[in-house]
Amino acid sequence: MLVIAGLGNPGPKYAANRHNIGFMAADAIVRRHASFSPWQKKFNAEISEGRLEGEKVLVIKPLTFMNNSGQAVGEALRFYKLGPEDLVVLYDELDLAPGKVRIKTGGGSGGHNGIRSIDAHCGKDYRRVRLGIGHPGSKERVHGYVLGDFAKADQEWLDTLLDTVGEHAGMIVRGDNSGFMNKTALALGDDMAARKKKPAETTKPAGKQSHIRQARQQTPQAPASGPMADMLNKLLGKKD
């Protein structure tokens, strides 16, 4: 059995925050695969059980708030008599560009309070799926950035990333970390390429003239005969 934990803060106030991309990824997995049960509350978390690649999987979203994520995840591991090697955690990563994904086993918390809590309650040797959200540029802006909602401009790459995580979650279950990272990189690369395409150039309709040329063409010509013509002829010294 495998436990996949998505990290975030519970409640509508935080639902669209960058810090909640782990919750969003967990939702995408459950939504994508019909084998998963409806969400229910247990272990001070929302859980859904299903099967991926023939293996039983528990997807869990702690309701303990980010800083205490390890309490709920640890309780679930102890209930099923599982160790850190049976745990995968999905969470936001400031030090990765938006949409980039990296997977590693073990390591430090990198200042992430949710990971710090899970390290304390579950041990460190679990797989960490780091979902890039980018960095605001300075340490002072980090708190407001992670607890701020994704910008409208982020929605295209975010939707692509979450769809890809949901579709290929089975690769994580079977331990194909490199394959999973390649799938997300390809999906995001295609998405970025499509958005960078320039619109087709528009050509000027044939025969259309500028307003200056049109005005010149519409300049009245001097009359060939009549009083005005006679006066001009005298002024210019034109002979008959």
Side-chain angles (χ1 to χ4, degrees), residues 9-76:
N9 288 308
K13 176 181 177 181
Y14 304 100
N17 285 184
R18 294 179 179 88
H19 219 20
N20 272 41
I21 195 172
F23 271 12
M24 297 174 194
D27 285 332
I29 293 171
V30 171
R31 184 170 59 246
R32 178 66 176 78
H33 300 277
S35 66
F36 282 93
S37 64
W39 291 101
Q40 56 183 303
K41 290 183 179 179
K42 191 175 182 180
F43 311 124
N44 205 4
E46 288 189 335
I47 66 168
S48 176
E49 294 184 8
R51 300 191 78 84
L52 290 172
E53 300 290 320
E55 183 169 348
K56 186 176 180 181
V57 174
L58 176 77
V59 179
I60 179 171
K61 298 189 297 181
L63 298 177
T64 49
F65 286 91
M66 184 68 81
N67 293 1
N68 295 311
S69 298
Q71 293 179 7
V73 176
E75 187 177 345

Side-chain angles (χ1 to χ4, degrees), residues 10 22 27 36 51 86 93 122 131 145 152 156 176:
D27 285 332
F36 282 93
R51 300 191 78 84
D86 305 307
E93 177 56 75
C122 308
L131 307 173
Y145 180 77
K152 188 176 181 180
E156 288 186 35
D176 187 2

Side-chain angles (χ1 to χ4, degrees), residues 194-206:
R195 284 187 284 146
K196 285 181 179 177
K197 282 185 179 177
K198 295 181 179 179
E201 293 184 4
T202 56
T203 54
K204 196 175 182 179

Side-chain angles (χ1 to χ4, degrees), residues 101-191:
V101 177
R102 294 290 182 270
I103 302 178
K104 67 174 183 177
T105 299
S109 68
H112 194 289
N113 289 333
I115 295 300
R116 184 179 289 118
S117 177
I118 291 177
D119 287 352
H121 287 268
C122 308
K124 294 186 176 183
D125 295 328
Y126 55 88
R127 275 187 290 166
R128 303 156 192 239
V129 181
R130 301 182 293 153
L131 307 173
I133 61 170
H135 198 286
S138 66
K139 187 177 180 180
E140 294 74 22
R141 296 171 59 194
V142 165
H143 182 76
Y145 180 77
V146 298
L147 292 180
D149 289 354
F150 280 105
K152 188 176 181 180
D154 294 326
Q155 210 58 52
E156 288 186 35
W157 70 257
L158 179 62
D159 289 345
T160 300
L161 174 62
L162 296 176
D163 287 345
T164 306
V165 169
E167 181 179 358
H168 298 291
M171 299 180 81
I172 296 177
V173 174
R174 66 174 181 259
D176 187 2
N177 298 338
S178 296
F180 180 80
M181 288 188 284
N182 287 337
K183 287 289 185 184
T184 56
L186 286 171
L188 268 294
D190 291 344
D191 178 64

